[in-house]
Amino acid sequence: MEQIRRGRDLIQGAASLVVLTGAGISADSGVPTFRGPEGLWRRHRPEELATPEAFRRDPRLVWEWYAWRRERVAACRPNPGHHALAERALRRPSLTLVTQNVDGLHGVAANEAAARLGVNPGPALPLELHGSLFRNRCSRCGSPQSQPHPVATGPEAAPPRCPECGGIVRPDVVWFGEPVDPAVLERALDAATAADVCLVVGTSAVVHPAAGVALTAVRSGAELVEVNPAETPLSSVARVTVRGRAADVLPPLLAPDPRGPGGRDTA
Ligand code: OAD
């Protein structure tokens, strides 16, 4: 497909690549997205489940929802899209991976690819803008918490407590109305500013500051390559738009150029 070839040429030639992913990349692994026809926000109200106010009002309900999501995600595996990104990051570490996803699948793919290649997974580990479903922290003192998985929920269960200050333990994710970790955001924006190509995969690009990572890259002169079956607010500024599923499109998009470095024929 012509769009894949054009996108691959841009990505191959990039001295510095920033990649922003969203729920769409994990859709091919069976993780529900947020805004599609089957999206989580079609069936659940975010203000009842994913805000600090909701947690203060009913921490058990919020924990039940996160326990359900953890269980669902724990049964999912990275797909060829996650694997292609991880391999590319390890083979050419001039890539910074930034994700809005809290499902941990980029990390699993990074560890698997690193084991296959016999290298350190570091360059393939993502900056997690919205935190992780699989980490907890105290809602009062902020200290990281390791809780048994799954955290007990059910009608009798009391929400877990911090052993240090007694505060209620919460999932270490970013809720609506909360700021993104400024240190993580700064690293993502620095990578966006330095990038000459930005690859955006499977995000509706309506949540900020995450979508701002792609916009920062474009404003700093990067070419944008978008992978998404649907149009998004970024489509109009993309140099190349690939309308397909991440699991199908990323392996050929990120594959080494068969014509050799720089697109020259090696035969
Ligand atoms: P959305 O659910 O808003 O968007 C998913 C995007 O993935 C859509 O643009 C789909 O067209 C696209 N898509 C669906 N299937 C795909 C596939 N197989 N391959 C590629 N793309 C596909 O998810 P996000 O943009 O990630 O935040 O949502 C951003 C944030 O909103 C989330 O991180 C979450 C949510 O509220 C928080 O919880 C803080």
Side-chain angles (χ1 to χ4, degrees):
M1 179 184 170
E2 173 63 10
Q3 296 303 307
I4 293 183
R5 194 193 56 72
R6 287 181 56 213
R8 194 183 61 205
D9 285 351
L10 277 178
I11 289 168
Q12 280 286 326
S16 177
L17 176 66
V18 67
V19 182
L20 174 67
T21 67
I25 190 171
S26 295
D28 292 326
S29 294
V31 180
T33 62
F34 293 94
R35 296 179 181 78
E38 303 290 314
L40 291 173
W41 297 152
R42 294 284 168 118
R43 286 176 283 145
H44 304 280
R45 289 159 59 85
E47 59 273 25
E48 283 170 11
L49 297 168
T51 63
E53 295 73 30
F55 190 69
R56 272 196 293 276
R57 205 166 42 236
D58 193 345
R60 211 182 56 211
L61 175 72
V62 173
W63 262 119
E64 261 178 42
W65 194 60
Y66 278 92
W68 171 79
R69 284 182 64 195
R70 277 182 182 178
E71 213 173 294
R72 172 111 200 220
V73 166
C76 295
R77 295 267 310 128
N79 64 58
H82 296 104
H83 288 304
L85 276 171
E87 292 240 351
R88 161 67 203 233
L90 295 178
R91 288 187 192 280
R92 278 181 64 179
S94 56
L95 181 159
T96 303
L97 180 54
V98 182
T99 190
Q100 299 164 83
N101 299 345
V102 295
D103 57 34
L105 291 178
H106 283 303
V108 176
N111 286 318
E112 290 179 357
R116 264 196 313 278
L117 299 170
V119 297
N120 184 308
L125 295 174
L127 295 171
E128 295 178 316
L129 280 180
H130 292 165
S132 167
L133 270 184
F134 297 100
R135 286 195 308 262
N136 301 323
R137 67 181 154 89
C138 174
S139 61
R140 188 186 294 161
C141 71
S143 64
Q145 303 283 316
S146 60
Q147 245 69 36
H149 294 293
V151 166
T153 49
E156 304 301 319
R161 293 274 178 182
C162 171
E164 281 152 52
C165 77
I168 303 180
V169 171
R170 58 167 280 178
D172 191 6
V173 296
V174 174
W175 283 328
F176 286 94
E178 291 186 319
V180 166
D181 181 332
V184 176
L185 182 61
E186 188 181 334
R187 285 175 64 197
L189 292 175
D190 284 351
T193 306
D196 45 8
V197 175
C198 174
L199 170 63
V200 181
V201 184
T203 176
S204 56
V206 294
V207 171
H208 287 266
V213 171
L215 292 171
T216 299
V218 171
R219 276 189 214 115
S220 307
E223 306 279 17
L224 190 74
V225 179
E226 181 180 58
V227 174
N228 199 312
E231 188 166 348
T232 76
L234 293 175
S235 302
S236 61
V237 291
R239 170 72 59 178
V240 176
T241 318
V242 186
R243 294 271 171 252
R245 302 173 68 89
D248 300 333
V249 166
L250 289 180
L253 193 64
L254 296 166
D257 190 333
R259 294 168 299 172
R264 288 183 299 277
D265 273 326
T266 49

